């Protein structure tokens, strides 16, 4: 009998779970990928077992990386470093602490770099650093995405400053991969710490942490010894990292491969024109029909603008997550600003629509009190805008369009938001949107309130559903300031010219999308089909423009706002 091992479990042995202490049958444990069926604890996997879990059977082609000198310092503590290396090689069957090569996942080619914690604690010395850098070189040479699986205690002390500089070597390699527009996904497994976390492990475009993994820079023991303070419950556990915005997703082991396959499929459609054309043709044959989106002429329709405001706020109107589930073909939601938190008032990620890979970002409200409170009524904090900024940057790196869904009363007007730089976060997002070298299509699906809405609506094309509105301030806010009573909100709504038709005549918006009879809330499926068709129409037109022309026209469009002849009589 043994405890849960990082090596592949034999079919005949009984294993004791290190978390709950239960005895587990080895054959069942192997079938369940090393996850305890009693408590869900994820036992550590060796590099070969991890590759077998993720890669298509028989597809892995190992890349030989010549190891550097074994002992650059002549280091000895209780044992000479060369002796430690020999023992690690005998125990694991590996030459070093990382295995790299090319494979397919779900038929999609990628480069894999997988660390093995059993090899000297997965520590990063010169050989591991060279393996990761070589994996990046291989990805660049073959124009393939990179998937890295980390398991490490940090830098390898026996190599001193040589080990330290591997952080710079691997970080610059990941930077080159970013500049080349190739997707990188880092899977953080238990444990990932120190110089690995502070270099390539957290530089991936997408960070996926395995459920229950401990991930951080300084480990709990180091923190306790250096800064004597109590540690929070679940400190540095993957799920805690997600709530603090530090990773994009947390997945159980059985879901890692499906998520990676979806991400690689989206990457393939973005990077390869032939794959994109094939995906678009398949979507046209099997996806929902997307004829021309019904549009409304921007002329007066006789409706009271205050009625439009109330319709836009109807609690049954589809939210961003509703549109993500119905107007798009697949969405891999990504979370967090990588610094502080994951703002639930803004959702987004990589998505496919009609065979096109896009980045989609939207304000998220809710349909009932519980969800509205959980989503902060669709009012983002600075972390939400910084999450959007990160996703916009990802879209530009991968060369894919951005689609935004706007529905917010405005940015959250609170003390904490102000102290964390709300205004600067909005300003940075608007500035980045204005200069993105990929198409940007925005659809206002409900409320478009102030700068909090504009942050997601600085676009090549701005469309509004006919019962949506877009305004410099809420009617109630305008009434309170200028009429000195919120009771004049209806009058303020009429004066603000905030309806879709008014905004087209002002040159602010580009089109009005007709809603189903009774409004979007009466037929959310049809409303989603209308939004989908309109987005595809606009993307098809914008994709004909090269990036320089795209940015030039967007700049000219923004400069022209307010210079038009639109006037209203009293």
């Amino acid at each position: 009998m043994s405890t849960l091992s990082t090596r592949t479990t034999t079919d005949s042995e009984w294993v004791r779970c290190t978390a709950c202490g239960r005895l587990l049958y080895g054959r069942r444990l192997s079938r369940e990928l090393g996850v305890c069926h009693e408590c869900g604890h994820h036992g550590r996997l060796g590099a070969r077992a991890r590759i077998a879990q993720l890669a298509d059977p028989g597809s892995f082609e190992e890349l030989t990386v010549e190891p550097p000198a074994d002992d650059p310092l002549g280091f000895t503590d209780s044992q000479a470093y060369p002796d430690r290396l020999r023992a690690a090689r005998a125990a694991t069957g590996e030459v070093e602490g990382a295995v790299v090569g090319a494979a397919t996942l779900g038929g999609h080619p990628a480069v894999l770099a997988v660390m093995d914690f059993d090899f000297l604690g997965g520590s990063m010395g010169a050989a591991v650093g060279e393996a990761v850098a070589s994996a990046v070189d291989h990805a660049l040479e073959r124009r393939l995405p990179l998937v890295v699986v980390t398991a490490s205690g940090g830098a390898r002390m026996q190599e001193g400053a040589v080990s330290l500089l591997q952080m710079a070597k691997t970080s610059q390699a990941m930077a080159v991969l970013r500049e080349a527009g190739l997707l990188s996904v880092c899977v953080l497994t238990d444990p990932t710490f120190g110089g690995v976390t502070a270099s390539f492990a957290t530089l991936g475009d997408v960070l996926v942490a395995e459920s229950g993994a401990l991930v951080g820079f300084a480990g709990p023991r180091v923190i306790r010894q250096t800064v004597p303070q109590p540690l929070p419950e679940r400190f540095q556990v993957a799920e805690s990292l997600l709530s603090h915005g530090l990773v994009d997703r947390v997945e159980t082991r059985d879901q890692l491969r499906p998520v990676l396959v979806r991400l690689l499929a989206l990457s393939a459609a973005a990077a390869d024109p032939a794959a994109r054309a094939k995906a678009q043709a398949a979507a046209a044959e099997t996806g929902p029909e997307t004829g021309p989106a019904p549009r409304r002429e921007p002329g007066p329709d006789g409706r009271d603008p205050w009625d439009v405001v109330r319709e836009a706020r109807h609690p049954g109107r589809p939210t961003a997550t509703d549109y993500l589930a119905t107007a798009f073909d697949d969405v891999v939601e990504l979370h967090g600003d990588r610094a502080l938190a994951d703002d639930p008032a803004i959702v987004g990620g990589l998505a496919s629509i009609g065979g096109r890979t896009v980045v989609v970002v939207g304000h998220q409200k809710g349909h009932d009190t519980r969800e509205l409170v959980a989503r902060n009524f669709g009012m983002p904090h600075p972390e939400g805008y910084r999450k959007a900024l990160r996703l916009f940057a990802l879209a530009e790196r991968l060369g894919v369009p951005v689609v935004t869904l706007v529905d917010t009363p405005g940015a959250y007007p609170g003390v904490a938001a102000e102290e964390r730089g709300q205004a600067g976060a909005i300003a940075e997002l608007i500035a980045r949107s204005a200069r993105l070298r990929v198409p940007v299509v925005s659809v206002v699906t409900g409320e478009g309130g102030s700068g909090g809405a504009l942050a997601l609506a600085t676009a090549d094309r701005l469309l509004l559903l006919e019962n949506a509105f877009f305004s410099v301030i809420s009617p109630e806010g305008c009434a309170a300031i200028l009429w000195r009573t919120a009771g004049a909100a209806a009058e303020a709504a009429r004066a603000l010219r905030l309806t879709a038709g008014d905004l087209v005549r002002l040159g602010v918006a580009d089109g009005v999308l007709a809603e189903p009879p009774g409004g979007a809330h009466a037929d959310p499926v049809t409303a989603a089909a209308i939004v989908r068709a309109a987005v595809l129409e606009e993307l098809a037109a914008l994709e004909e423009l090269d990036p320089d022309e795209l940015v030039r026209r967007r700049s000219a469009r923004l400069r022209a706002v307010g210079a038009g002849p639109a006037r209203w009589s009293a």
Side-chain angles (χ1 to χ4, degrees):
M1 186 183 70
S2 65
T3 57
L4 274 178
S5 171
T6 60
R7 314 318 301 169
T8 304
T9 324
T10 65
D11 288 343
S12 59
E13 68 181 345
W14 286 87
V15 180
R16 188 177 296 280
C17 176
T18 55
C20 68
R22 302 284 181 88
L23 283 177
L24 310 173
Y25 188 45
R27 184 173 297 177
R28 178 175 181 180
L29 186 64
S30 294
R31 287 198 307 268
E32 296 178 355
L33 305 173
V35 178
C36 175
H37 60 267
E38 295 287 350
C39 70
H41 173 66
H42 287 52
R44 294 170 183 165
L45 291 181
R48 302 289 169 176
R50 184 70 70 175
I51 292 168
Q53 175 215 344
L54 297 178
D56 295 341
S59 70
F60 183 70
E61 298 177 0
E62 189 167 352
L63 177 66
T64 300
V65 180
E66 290 298 327
D70 273 354
D71 190 10
L73 307 185
F75 190 97
T76 298
D77 48 9
S78 61
Q79 186 178 9
Y81 180 39
D83 293 338
R84 289 190 184 276
L85 287 172
R86 279 191 289 272
R89 286 164 183 162
T92 64
E94 303 296 347
V95 176
E96 254 294 345
V99 179
V100 301
T104 60
L105 284 73
H108 302 289
V111 174
L112 286 178
V114 183
M115 302 186 74
D116 195 323
F117 188 77
D118 271 5
F119 197 103
L120 297 183
S123 55
M124 180 168 63
V128 170
E130 185 60 27
V132 172
S134 296
V136 171
D137 291 343
H138 200 53
L140 289 166
E141 180 182 343
R142 299 179 63 174
R143 300 295 301 174
L144 292 177
L146 174 69
V147 176
V148 180
V149 183
T150 63
S152 175
R156 188 170 296 178
M157 291 176 287
Q158 294 91 340
E159 295 187 18
V162 172
S163 173
L164 181 67
L165 265 292
Q166 303 310 305
M167 294 173 63
K169 175 192 286 188
T170 56
S171 295
Q172 76 87 27
M174 295 294 283
V176 172
L177 197 68
R178 283 184 176 182
E179 292 166 5
L182 296 173
L183 178 71
S184 58
V185 183
C186 292
V187 179
L188 312 178
T189 76
D190 183 60
T192 299
F193 278 98
V196 168
T197 315
S199 59
F200 66 91
T202 49
L203 290 176
D205 293 313
V206 179
L207 302 186
V208 181
E210 190 170 67
S211 180
L214 287 175
V215 180
F217 180 57
R221 183 172 59 183
V222 173
I223 294 173
R224 290 191 187 98
Q225 291 175 348
T226 308
V227 184
Q229 65 182 77
L231 300 181
E233 188 178 354
R234 305 282 290 168
F235 179 62
Q236 295 180 322
V237 175
E239 288 75 5
S240 175
L241 268 62
L242 181 67
S243 69
H244 284 89
L246 301 178
V247 296
D248 287 289
R249 301 179 69 91
V250 171
E251 300 290 346
T252 55
R253 186 165 292 166
D254 63 329
Q255 289 303 307
L256 280 178
R257 174 179 157 88
V259 165
L260 291 175
V261 168
R262 290 167 64 198
L263 286 167
L264 294 178
L266 291 166
S267 172
D272 183 355
R276 183 165 58 249
K278 182 178 179 180
Q280 290 176 7
E285 291 180 5
T286 62
E289 294 185 9
T290 53
R295 310 232 179 179
R296 292 274 191 233
E297 291 299 319
D301 60 7
R303 298 184 63 204
D304 187 338
W306 182 239
D307 290 337
V308 173
V309 170
R310 290 189 292 183
E311 191 81 358
R313 294 170 173 171
H314 193 289
R317 282 184 78 83
T319 65
T321 56
D322 294 327
Y323 284 113
L324 296 187
T326 50
F328 294 81
D329 302 314
D330 186 25
V331 180
V332 180
E333 187 176 353
L334 305 178
H335 295 269
D337 66 346
R338 298 271 179 95
L340 181 66
D342 179 47
D343 188 346
I346 285 187
V347 296
L350 281 167
S352 62
I353 179 170
R356 290 174 170 84
T357 297
V358 301
V359 162
V360 60
V361 182
H363 299 98
Q364 176 63 19
K365 287 184 177 178
H367 296 299
D368 55 36
T369 301
R370 180 191 60 79
E371 189 179 2
L372 285 165
V373 170
R375 301 286 185 171
N376 202 37
F377 295 85
M379 295 184 291
H381 287 78
E383 300 78 56
Y385 293 116
R386 291 179 178 127
K387 172 165 66 172
L389 184 67
R390 184 171 72 82
L391 294 176
F392 283 17
L394 175 61
E396 189 169 57
R397 285 201 302 274
L398 298 181
V400 302
V402 172
V403 177
T404 67
L405 304 171
V406 178
D407 185 14
T408 181
Y412 180 66
V415 173
E418 291 296 313
E419 290 177 342
R420 295 199 298 271
Q422 184 79 288
I426 292 171
E428 289 289 348
L429 186 55
I430 293 173
R432 187 61 185 266
S433 301
R435 304 300 294 173
L436 279 178
R437 295 175 63 79
V438 293
V440 185
V441 175
S442 297
V443 182
V444 183
T445 62
E447 290 187 86
S450 189
L454 182 63
L456 293 189
T458 305
D460 300 295
R461 298 286 189 273
L462 177 61
L463 309 174
L464 282 86
L465 288 172
E466 63 177 306
N467 291 317
F469 73 90
F470 192 64
S471 176
V472 67
I473 191 172
S474 70
E476 294 86 349
C478 179
I481 294 170
L482 298 182
W483 276 263
R484 300 189 181 279
T485 171
E491 189 175 353
R494 299 177 192 115
L496 284 167
R497 308 291 182 179
L498 46 65
T499 67
D502 288 339
L503 293 163
V504 172
R505 291 194 297 279
L506 278 168
V508 170
D510 299 288
V512 184
L513 302 181
E515 295 189 23
H521 62 279
D523 189 352
V525 173
T526 299
I530 289 168
V531 169
R532 174 187 174 93
V535 167
L536 288 173
E537 284 178 27
E538 300 296 351
L539 289 179
L542 292 168
E543 286 170 349
E544 297 297 319
L545 305 176
D546 67 57
D548 289 338
E549 180 65 11
L550 194 69
V551 172
R552 188 195 68 78
R553 291 192 184 192
R554 193 183 306 138
S555 177
R557 178 185 185 279
L558 295 172
R559 287 294 298 271
V561 174
R567 295 289 186 273
W568 278 267
S569 58

